[in-house]
Amino acid sequence: MTQSQTITVRILDKDYHIACPASESTNLERAAEYLDKKMREIRRTGKVIGTERVAVMAALNITHELHSKQSAALLDGENTELIQQLVARVNQSLDVSE
């Protein structure tokens, strides 16, 4: 059974106490730092007022980043598969012509 511990993270000058497995505490702290950074960037623009709205905009931006990275990785995988198919065809053609 995984041991759980309580980690305190600070986001926009407010402390949050979050329970997580001990093995995930570093990842949680990094995620909180990243979220804090994104929220501060949004708040600094002055276009979004209120912590809740800043949090929602940060969540949307982070989700968009993740989705874009996943889409790029998927395309890379599709390209790799296509290249492998093309190489197989070339090899097959070379075998036939010899």
Side-chain angles (χ1 to χ4, degrees), residues 22-65:
S23 61
E24 290 296 317
S25 63
T26 301
N27 289 336
L28 174 61
E29 289 168 347
R30 286 184 186 150
E33 288 171 8
Y34 188 73
L35 177 58
D36 181 65
K37 175 186 164 193
K38 290 295 184 182
M39 288 179 70
R40 288 180 186 281
E41 288 173 3
I42 291 167
R43 187 174 67 177
R44 203 171 314 138
T45 67
K47 295 179 181 177
V48 180
I49 306 297
T51 304
E52 184 177 310
R53 289 179 184 261
V54 169
V56 169
M57 290 305 298
L60 285 171
N61 287 337
I62 292 168
T63 303
H64 180 262
E65 289 173 10

Side-chain angles (χ1 to χ4, degrees), residues 65-82:
E65 289 173 10
L66 178 62
H67 185 271
S68 295
K69 287 178 183 178
Q70 286 176 338
S71 294
L74 180 60
L75 288 175
D76 285 346
E78 290 173 357
N79 290 339
T80 300
E81 184 178 332
L82 179 60

